Amino acid sequence: MPTIYDISMTIEESMQVWKNYEQKKPKITNVQNHDEGKPHESLLSMNVHTGTHVDAPLHMLAGGDTIETIPLERLVGPARVLDLTHVKEFITKEDLEPFAIQRGERILFKTSSSFSEDFLMDFVFLREDGAKYLADIGIGLVATDALGIERAQAEYPTHRTLMRNDVIIVEGVRLKEVAAGNYSLVIAPLKLTGIDASPARAFLMA
Amino acid sequence: MPTIYDISMTIEESMQVWKNYEQKKPKITNVQNHDEGKPHESLLSMNVHTGTHVDAPLHMLAGGDTIETIPLERLVGPARVLDLTHVKEFITKEDLEPFAIQRGERILFKTSSSFSEDFLMDFVFLREDGAKYLADIGIGLVATDALGIERAQAEYPTHRTLMRNDVIIVEGVRLKEVAAGNYSLVIAPLKLTGIDASPARAFLMA
């Protein structure tokens, strides 16, 4: 039995959300319960970019592909966690070159953003030149432990460069407790269809 | 690379829900989009028992354990799909005995309920004696392709027997396209906490 490392964010009303916007916070409501003589049931209401999630190209590209176009085969398999905790502001091509990243790899960024459970306005992001470098290599997937792969750069060059080059983007993983190295990765988004993202359970096995 | 069989129900507004109740249907709403000059984002609102999902004991037992108490280790690993498509009404102890089910096994019921995408009032369920048989063996998990492991039997003896004996219940898997036999199973519920269930992505690998 392999060891499982859960790298998902817990979904709860008090969790960090993008820029702490009230309308981005999930709501979890009890709709019936044993006191009423009924089974206990809850309603979950959440923006699909909450917590650990997979972005579909539609999120940042008008007319882009939607979430059901990303097959499980792309989200399950060998992966590598890179230690980028020394990076202060943004991840550049120069930061990535020492890792000798290969075509088709699934890459996870462990950054200092995992050290806090609060939303950090200055979270570590992937700069456009770093995104272009990964797109040129032709990696399969990039995951980051920040809530976003970029902050709110004009025209979203990081998202768009990755999406136009068929690199899957996973945001909001939790890597604080995970060492850099090679793992077997599972990213399991809810099976939604026709929309811009899906919340996901994510774990590594070693 | 193993073959992946996605056994999850697609979550969409037109999907089958329990007894076709209007309030159990998920709602998926666009909250911002490219026409407004913003990234495309959607809001998902759903009962946590929608589609493929894991029940926590709290669902049927007052004061029962909540969803975060079920570790991924229980939801990931070897599993067996049983062909029960010949069963007409309910699954009994006698229906299960020929399979020589062992302690700790993860068992998936392939029933005729997978043949329809509509909610069937007369879906095939696990009768109390079948639940007691599985609990006595001490299996780890039972999944069914009906939306429920029982219909609405008074006092919910099937759910309660399984839950009191630490058997995890997964409802609403899709097994129509999957042959009986042995697989590696992944059930990946969203990482919710403190509540009665979680929607999940589920797949088999062979």
Side-chain angles (χ1 to χ4, degrees), chain A residues 153-173:
Chain A
Q153 276 65 34
E155 301 299 327
Y156 307 102
T158 294
H159 275 90
R160 288 176 174 169
T161 297
L162 295 170
M163 288 169 167
R164 289 185 176 126
N165 289 280
D166 197 27
V167 179
I168 296 169
I169 300 169
V170 182
E171 297 172 322
V173 297

Side-chain angles (χ1 to χ4, degrees), chain A residues 56 58 64-69 191-197, chain B residues 10-12 28 30 40 42:
Chain A
L58 176 62
D65 284 344
T66 47
I67 191 68
E68 77 284 1
T69 65
K191 193 174 181 178
L192 290 161
T193 188
I195 62 171
D196 42 273
Chain B
T10 298
I11 299 167
E12 52 193 335
I28 300 164
N30 176 248
H40 196 284
S42 302

